[in-house]
Amino acid sequence: MSKVTLIINDTEVKADKGATILEAARVAGIDIPTLCSHEKLTPYGACRLCTVEITKGQRSQLVASCVYLVEEGLIVNTESEPVTKGRKMLLELLWAHAPGVQALRRYGTKYGISAVRAGMDYGVIPGISSTRTKFDIEPTFCVLCGLCVRYCAEVKRRNAIGFIGRGTEREVVFLPEIASEECPLCGEECYPLCPTGALPLHHALIKAEYSS
Amino acid sequence: MVQALTELDKKVDEIVSKYRGDKSALIQVLIEIQRENRWLPKEALKQVSQRLGVTLTQIYHIATFYKAFSLKPRGKHSATVCLGTACQVRGAPRLLDNITQTLKINPGETSADMQFSLDTARCLGCCAIGPVMVVDGEYYSKPSRKEVEQIVSAKEIES
Amino acid sequence: MPILNSAADLEKLRQQILDRDDRKRVVSVTNGTDGRTRNSEAVVQAFINEIKKQGLAGKLIVKSTGCHGFCEKEPTALILPEEICYVGVKPEDVPEIVSQTLAKGKVIKRLLYEDPVSGQRITRESEIPFYKSQNQTVLGNNRFLDMQKIDDYIALSGYSALARVLSEMTPEQVIEEVKSSGLRGRGGAGFPTGMKWEFCHNAEGEPKYVIVNCDEGDPGAYMDRSLMEGNPHSVLEGLLIGSYAIGAQDGYIYVRAEYPLAVENVDIAIRQAEEYGLLGQNILGSGFNFKITVHRGAGAFVCGEETALIASLEGRIGEPRQRPPFPATSGLWGKPTNINNVETWANVPLIINRGAKWFRSLGTERSKGTKIFSLVGKLQNTGLVEAPMGMTLGDIVFNIGGGIPDGKKFKAIQTGGPSGGVIPESLLNTPVDYEELSKLGAIMGSGGMIVMDEDTCLVDVARYFLNFLAGESCGKCVPCREGIYQMLKILDRICEGNGREGDIELLEEIGETVRDFSLCALGRTAPNPVLSTIRYFRDEYEVHIKEKRCPALVCKELISYYIDPEKCQACLICLRDCPAEAITGDKKIVHVIDQEKCTKCGTCLEVCPPRFGAVTKLDRVKVPEPVRQKREVVRK
């Protein structure tokens, strides 16, 4: 396997060709925040917390390190000002949906976030419905990281849980007919993946529904 | 009821065969079933899942991601109001209010007697002549309140 | 139909068609989707019937055409060769048109376009002010072609560019010509087309694919629909030339679900081209093979994004994926793929026929050629405008668009759809150019230009666009999904009178993250309408937030409807029509709106007879106390 040399936070790092910046950073002991990344799953690039600043020649860019492949001579900064500024905002956006959950608190401490931002819509109470917009979003802690969906599809290949809808109406749902057959055989392997605890709760409700 | 199911099965079979069971034609298959049947019943989706070798979770995501599909039975007649920007500045919200009040249902709903379904569209591409409403594939430009009522009654009589 | 085996065969066919149709008068009736909203199908049928009835069949040709441009005047009947243009034609007008104009060449004045300022009646279509300053190099042929007849396209030298390319040019030469022309993608991004083709041509991997992006999702834009409906062959020819240059044999045309007539016409066009051997194996005897598949969209704006479109073609949900790799190297099924917009493809045969030098002679330093815009909204003349790049926005709005009707004032022009921005009056002298518009915080986009007047609330416009994007976002990534959600909620609060100090700054802050961290271009450009309206109309935001007022009297929670007791004539119309039953009054008793029950639907304003004009909209805070005693009407 040929190697590639790149610079992460002023440190020279040698990585395998075909590795992502995130993988290369991990091997070098550099911690980049993630939410939707998992070693057993293909990179997803949805949470954008792992965004880093890369510089090639004169141009700088912000990219998701979990999907961007290493390149010879690439200069990477994982904590530059544009990166941390945006990361804080992403955490605040997530916090508004799942305030105080463990997975966010560890980053919250690092980036100084501990409450819902004043002015933001606090997701746990029912959203304000307006005559113009047609939202009436059910309050939930789910942050749509997709770990459960992808684990069930890629690792367990049971496909009992999936996404529906799009945009702000995207949701994670169990398909009752499939879940009732497949989940008992699986042993709830997806539960520990959930960063907010919304999954086990939701599954309990579904089980109640299809066993009745 | 059983008979209707078999007819749908046959229709689905025909459509899937037309696309030679090609997985990538999934969306085209669903479009044709939607067009024939006016909605996508669960049984049809299960059949498509088996025939094309696509998981049911993926099919449900597609059926809910793309707005051309309906997972609920639809009315005999469909009315769509365009809410594109050009129509918006030329009074589309008024037109929407008019048809909503006439049909007594909100966008996304179907009347209890299954006669009408009402929807909004993001842009129908008739921007110079807005606001626009489409009823059963017929386009109407700038219909007044009275005209809206006339169009609806004409459809009701048709049924 | 004979199979054309060479360029010479094509030329022979063209001559035959010209000879067959020579010296016949033609009536072109606009019968695209716009025309059909006003019964154009019946007009076409009336012409066919009447011509037969008056014994003129065989001497006259009726053509069912797409948009000529001035779409709000449709159905238009254009009589050629005299170019006599009748607007707003109804089926009952047809017998007179046939007996007077088609048979004898006499003009019917009442059917001519009337200039609203001078009152003058204008006979020739090209003299109508709307068309005068236009340069319809791409759209112009619509008026000469029956939408569903390939022969008409061939008569106009259609497919001769393809014939020349296949017999005289190498793929590399074609790419050079397109590069040299300076053509840039007309779908919105403005990427140099020739360069894009070159990347795909040079990429490794077989087979290669080419795609026509007809997912035109920008609300307010319908240029692509008009080309696909009105002149599908121009797109097919461009696609064939491009595929030859790139080295692809399979093409896909992705048409959005909302364009059924475009799908119908492109299906017919493909079938007819196949019958002539212009599609399929060994095209024009050159050894080049090409086949096209039409794929329908299913209602998702995000599928206009290249990688989402490709996902949709593969039968998956329209979720964009990260780039690099770009479609040119890894696209459909992981193979090198070139996607271009409809208008981009339609420009290609023109560049081959008239030369890159000609194309470069139009436009500005960095934006060459012409662009078709959909000029719509609060404007005297709405429709499609094709102008050379570099024409100023002001010229377009006032010279072509005829300015704002009803004595209202211009407020802003919105360009680029949900990825674009607004441009205020002070900047109307900006030339239309990719870079010039970007500098202003707007974008060229696909060409939608929506004119807004003093009755438009720009905070509401920002909210409208965010609401649109909230539902159209694929929802995968956090900045786009959650950022748009929060920005929308803030705008909701502002429009409802619950805006707070710091809201504008928060919008800007969230907007920055959405712009910089989103996965795809939908997310990255989502904040544009908000940031743009803040940039040029910050005071409007501040009035909403600090004073809880909507100066344009649009935001429902901040306005009230009021019946002026001095003007009310107690005609009972609004009382009866009010869906909330909020109006009290009687035959001679002044009508009063109960503000508690009023839903602000605006019906009363719409139905109050113009000669009374008793209903007005007021700032919520300014509504006078309702009259306590029943008051008799003072009849005027």
Side-chain angles (χ1 to χ4, degrees):
Chain A
M1 180 71 81
S2 58
K3 291 275 188 185
V4 158
T5 309
L6 63 156
I7 313 228
I8 307 180
N9 296 348
D10 296 320
T11 314
E12 202 179 85
V13 174
K14 281 200 173 25
D16 288 333
K17 189 156 184 250
T20 63
I21 295 176
L22 181 65
E23 285 165 345
R26 283 223 171 103
V27 165
I30 299 169
D31 185 38
I32 301 178
T34 63
L35 190 69
C36 71
S37 151
H38 192 281
E39 69 228 347
K40 286 196 184 150
L41 303 172
T42 54
Y44 197 46
C47 71
R48 316 307 283 179
L49 281 175
C50 70
T51 302
V52 295
E53 188 171 359
I54 59 168
T55 309
K56 284 199 276 195
Q58 302 285 39
R59 273 187 72 224
S60 275
Q61 242 189 306
L62 292 171
V63 299
S65 60
C66 67
V67 286
Y68 202 92
L69 300 180
V70 293
E71 292 166 14
E72 184 68 35
L74 194 66
I75 300 172
V76 181
N77 192 329
T78 71
E79 298 287 335
S80 70
E81 203 250 321
V83 170
T84 50
K85 192 169 169 205
R87 217 176 261 159
K88 279 190 192 146
M89 176 52 72
L90 291 176
L91 287 167
E92 285 181 314
L93 290 171
L94 288 164
W95 203 281
H97 258 317
V101 299
Q102 176 63 19
L104 296 179
R105 255 190 287 145
R106 49 186 273 252
Y107 296 130
T109 317
K110 181 171 178 189
Y111 294 100
I113 296 163
S114 55
V116 177
R117 177 76 175 265
M120 278 198 191
D121 189 63
Y122 183 46
V124 178
I125 53 173
I128 302 166
S129 74
S130 152
T131 48
R132 284 282 185 181
T133 61
K134 47 183 171 63
F135 297 120
D136 271 294
I137 297 181
E138 284 295 321
T140 172
F141 272 37
C142 173
V143 289
L144 297 166
C145 66
L147 286 166
C148 54
V149 174
R150 290 147 60 208
Y151 190 85
C152 192
E154 291 177 35
V155 176
K156 303 305 294 184
R157 298 187 191 277
R158 293 186 187 274
N159 300 293
I161 187 171
F163 284 115
I164 57 166
R166 73 178 185 218
T168 46
E169 289 170 11
R170 185 185 260 231
E171 275 180 66
V172 171
V173 293
F174 282 96
L175 291 195
E177 305 98 325
I178 301 182
S180 55
E181 283 179 20
E182 299 285 339
C183 296
L185 304 172
C186 169
E188 294 154 6
E189 279 178 42
C190 57
Y191 280 28
L193 291 159
C194 180
T196 66
L199 176 68
L201 195 66
H202 186 65
H203 193 214
L205 292 170
I206 291 290
K207 276 197 286 197
E209 230 180 80
Y210 62 64
S211 55
S212 58
Chain B
M1 221 27 222
V2 175
Q3 208 168 18
L5 219 63
T6 322
E7 259 177 59
L8 180 60
D9 282 345
K10 271 199 286 199
K11 242 303 63 94
V12 172
D13 202 58
E14 238 175 75
I15 293 170
V16 169
S17 306
K18 178 175 161 195
Y19 288 95
R20 289 180 291 256
D22 181 7
K23 238 184 239 201
S24 71
L26 173 59
I27 294 169
Q28 307 304 290
V29 166
L30 293 177
I31 286 174
E32 293 211 19
I33 299 173
Q34 170 76 34
R35 202 173 0 177
E36 285 289 327
N37 202 55
R38 290 212 302 274
W39 68 292
L40 300 177
K42 196 190 287 193
E43 293 313 311
L45 297 183
K46 283 186 175 162
Q47 203 185 340
V48 172
S49 170
Q50 280 166 16
R51 291 290 308 276
L52 292 183
V54 179
T55 68
L56 202 56
T57 42
Q58 277 174 287
I59 294 183
Y60 267 106
H61 196 181
I62 286 174
T64 53
F65 183 93
Y66 293 102
K67 298 310 167 191
F69 303 126
S70 176
L71 292 178
K72 287 188 287 201
R74 307 263 299 166
K76 185 152 176 233
H77 305 290
S78 75
T80 306
V81 176
C82 180
L83 291 185
T85 324
C87 290
Q88 182 83 1
V89 303
R90 302 230 299 209
R94 283 285 307 114
L95 175 55
L96 184 61
D97 279 343
N98 283 339
I99 185 74
T100 302
Q101 286 156 14
T102 307
L103 291 177
K104 302 206 189 354
I105 51 175
N106 287 321
E109 293 175 0
T110 300
S111 58
D113 59 4
M114 296 301 293
Q115 285 303 304
F116 280 97
S117 286
L118 178 61
D119 288 294
T120 57
R122 296 303 190 172
C123 178
L124 295 172
C126 297
C127 318
I129 53 175
V132 168
M133 178 174 77
V134 187
V135 179
D136 292 347
E138 283 153 28
Y139 289 71
Y140 299 92
S141 152
K142 303 187 212 181
S144 65
R145 171 61 175 251
K146 240 201 179 66
E147 283 168 331
V148 168
E149 288 168 356
Q150 281 166 353
I151 294 164
V152 170
S153 354
K155 289 288 171 183
E156 280 168 347
I157 293 169
E158 214 180 275
S159 327
Chain C
M1 277 154 106
I3 296 276
L4 304 166
N5 285 313
S6 63
D9 279 354
L10 176 64
E11 181 54 32
K12 205 167 109 201
L13 175 62
R14 190 175 84 89
Q15 273 309 315
Q16 282 171 358
I17 296 167
L18 287 173
D19 290 340
R20 180 187 73 199
D21 295 342
D22 192 27
R23 287 188 304 262
K24 289 192 187 139
R25 248 202 203 102
V26 172
V27 57
S28 285
V29 182
T30 51
N31 196 23
T33 306
D34 297 280
R36 288 176 194 211
T37 63
R38 273 111 172 235
N39 222 1
S40 60
E41 286 179 288
V43 172
V44 170
Q45 199 53 56
F47 269 110
I48 294 171
N49 295 342
E50 193 62 30
I51 286 170
K52 203 183 279 174
K53 190 159 149 214
Q54 295 192 22
L56 294 165
K59 301 208 185 96
L60 297 168
I61 302 175
V62 180
K63 292 195 184 184
S64 191
T65 73
C67 294
H68 299 181
F70 207 169
C71 308
E72 66 159 284
K73 297 296 178 199
E74 293 186 13
T76 3
L78 178 67
I79 288 105
L80 299 162
E82 292 89 349
E83 228 203 292
I84 299 168
C85 179
Y86 293 139
V87 297
V89 176
K90 301 194 188 70
E92 44 272 32
D93 297 323
V94 172
E96 193 184 346
I97 298 175
V98 175
S99 63
Q100 296 303 302
T101 316
L102 287 176
K104 299 184 205 157
K106 283 177 77 181
V107 173
I108 305 167
K109 270 207 152 61
R110 68 176 177 83
L111 292 174
L112 294 175
Y113 170 79
E114 187 182 353
D115 188 300
V117 176
S118 67
Q120 216 194 344
R121 294 268 177 192
I122 299 175
T123 309
R124 300 183 62 206
E125 195 181 47
S126 52
E127 306 272 293
I128 296 174
F130 183 77
Y131 287 111
K132 236 175 164 170
S133 339
Q134 290 196 40
N135 187 349
Q136 290 192 338
T137 56
V138 178
L139 192 61
N141 276 345
N142 274 22
R143 55 178 53 79
F144 302 123
L145 299 168
D146 186 301
M147 303 188 279
Q148 296 181 345
K149 297 206 167 98
I150 187 174
D151 281 5
D152 283 0
Y153 185 68
I154 291 174
L156 293 170
S157 299
Y159 289 108
S160 60
L162 175 66
R164 194 177 136 229
V165 160
L166 292 179
S167 55
E168 295 170 23
M169 295 172 81
T170 64
E172 290 77 13
Q173 284 172 326
V174 176
I175 293 176
E176 263 320 299
E177 190 73 357
V178 175
K179 273 173 81 174
S180 161
S181 73
L183 176 66
R184 290 167 72 167
R186 296 291 192 250
F191 193 85
T193 308
M195 205 187 285
K196 205 176 192 186
W197 287 14
E198 197 170 52
F199 288 149
C200 196
H201 171 84
N202 293 343
E204 285 185 22
E206 287 287 323
K208 296 191 178 161
Y209 297 104
V210 283
I211 300 175
V212 177
N213 184 344
C214 189
D215 192 60
E216 194 170 52
D218 280 356
Y222 67 108
M223 305 71 60
D224 294 347
R225 172 176 71 68
S226 305
L227 281 174
M228 281 304 242
E229 281 180 3
N231 194 354
H233 288 286
S234 64
V235 180
L236 295 186
E237 189 178 2
L239 184 65
L240 277 158
I241 293 170
S243 313
Y244 170 78
I246 288 163
Q249 296 191 34
D250 283 282
Y252 288 85
I253 301 182
Y254 189 98
V255 186
R256 64 191 293 246
E258 295 82 345
Y259 288 173
L261 183 59
V263 172
E264 186 186 328
N265 288 357
V266 86
D267 275 342
I268 291 171
I270 290 172
R271 203 179 14 92
Q272 292 181 343
E274 282 170 347
E275 281 169 14
Y276 272 141
L278 290 162
L279 277 174
Q281 302 289 311
N282 194 22
I283 296 170
L284 291 174
S286 66
F288 173 58
N289 308 329
F290 193 68
K291 80 172 207 306
I292 301 177
T293 310
V294 176
H295 186 111
R296 301 187 66 162
F301 170 78
V302 68
C303 286
E305 198 274 350
E306 293 184 346
T307 59
L309 193 156
I310 287 172
S312 182
L313 281 176
E314 292 173 354
R316 299 185 288 115
I317 47 158
E319 249 177 29
R321 60 158 177 75
Q322 93 135 28
R323 311 190 293 176
F326 290 89
T329 46
S330 173
L332 190 58
W333 313 118
K335 301 294 183 190
T337 306
N338 181 75
I339 308 187
N340 276 124
N341 165 269
V342 168
E343 194 182 341
T344 313
W345 289 116
N347 268 284
V348 172
L350 294 169
I351 290 170
I352 298 294
N353 272 333
R354 298 168 76 165
K357 199 159 151 212
W358 159 78
F359 196 80
R360 267 205 315 276
S361 70
L362 302 165
T364 67
E365 178 69 40
R366 289 201 281 175
S367 305
K368 296 293 181 195
T370 62
K371 176 82 188 80
I372 306 175
F373 300 101
S374 68
L375 186 62
V376 292
K378 298 294 194 70
L379 210 55
Q380 188 67 48
N381 308 323
T382 55
L384 295 176
V385 172
E386 187 174 352
M389 299 277 199
M391 184 179 280
T392 67
L393 289 166
D395 279 344
I396 293 175
V397 171
F398 294 103
N399 291 353
I400 297 177
I404 319 294
D406 304 328
K408 300 282 185 178
K409 265 194 92 223
F410 174 91
K411 190 162 181 184
I413 181 166
Q414 202 275 337
T415 71
S419 309
V422 294
I423 295 161
E425 187 169 18
S426 55
L427 294 168
L428 280 180
N429 55 356
T430 306
V432 171
D433 168 279
Y434 288 101
E435 278 68 37
E436 289 297 319
L437 290 175
S438 294
K439 272 194 245 173
L440 300 180
I443 64 169
M444 173 101 61
S446 62
M449 286 195 172
I450 301 159
V451 177
M452 301 172 176
D453 67 9
E454 61 195 71
D455 291 338
T456 314
C457 171
L458 289 179
V459 185
D460 183 58
V461 165
R463 173 163 69 156
Y464 165 87
F465 279 118
L466 277 184
N467 187 25
F468 174 88
L469 291 166
E472 296 295 337
S473 155
C474 76
K476 178 174 173 177
C477 76
V478 170
C480 175
R481 186 187 69 236
E482 301 299 336
I484 291 176
Y485 174 74
Q486 292 295 346
M487 289 172 80
L488 179 56
K489 287 295 176 182
I490 294 170
L491 281 165
D492 273 349
R493 279 196 291 101
I494 293 173
C495 291
E496 288 164 7
N498 295 324
R500 296 175 214 162
E501 195 68 44
D503 272 348
I504 297 177
E505 290 72 16
L506 184 55
L507 281 171
E508 288 172 324
E509 203 186 322
I510 300 174
E512 238 181 75
T513 302
V514 177
R515 184 193 63 201
D516 295 339
F517 281 68
S518 289
L519 195 155
C520 81
L522 186 154
R524 287 198 297 268
T525 58
N528 286 357
V530 180
L531 297 177
S532 166
T533 47
I534 291 176
R535 177 170 169 178
Y536 297 112
F537 296 92
R538 196 185 186 104
D539 49 321
E540 200 162 352
Y541 277 84
E542 283 174 351
V543 170
H544 278 73
I545 294 171
K546 293 185 182 150
E547 298 176 43
K548 318 293 185 207
R549 282 196 310 117
C550 175
L553 296 177
V554 169
C555 297
K556 281 190 177 172
E557 284 80 357
L558 304 180
I559 57 170
S560 293
Y561 284 82
Y562 176 69
I563 300 173
D564 185 343
E566 304 295 315
K567 291 188 178 164
C568 177
Q569 298 295 291
C571 64
L572 295 176
I573 293 176
C574 67
L575 198 145
R576 282 196 315 253
D577 284 355
C578 174
E581 292 175 1
I583 303 178
T584 53
D586 211 330
K587 233 189 261 181
K588 285 190 189 163
I589 311 289
V590 155
H591 300 343
V592 178
I593 297 173
D594 181 347
Q595 297 297 337
E596 300 294 308
K597 289 188 182 168
C598 176
T599 59
K600 325 280 174 63
C601 70
T603 303
C604 52
L605 182 59
E606 189 183 307
V607 302
C608 180
R611 65 188 187 283
F612 303 154
V615 182
T616 52
K617 284 193 287 189
L618 298 175
D619 272 331
R620 191 175 51 177
V621 297
K622 286 187 182 161
V623 179
E625 276 295 307
V627 174
R628 288 294 164 203
Q629 293 153 316
K630 289 188 176 180
R631 195 197 282 183
E632 287 263 325
V633 162
V634 179
R635 287 275 170 190
K636 293 195 174 95

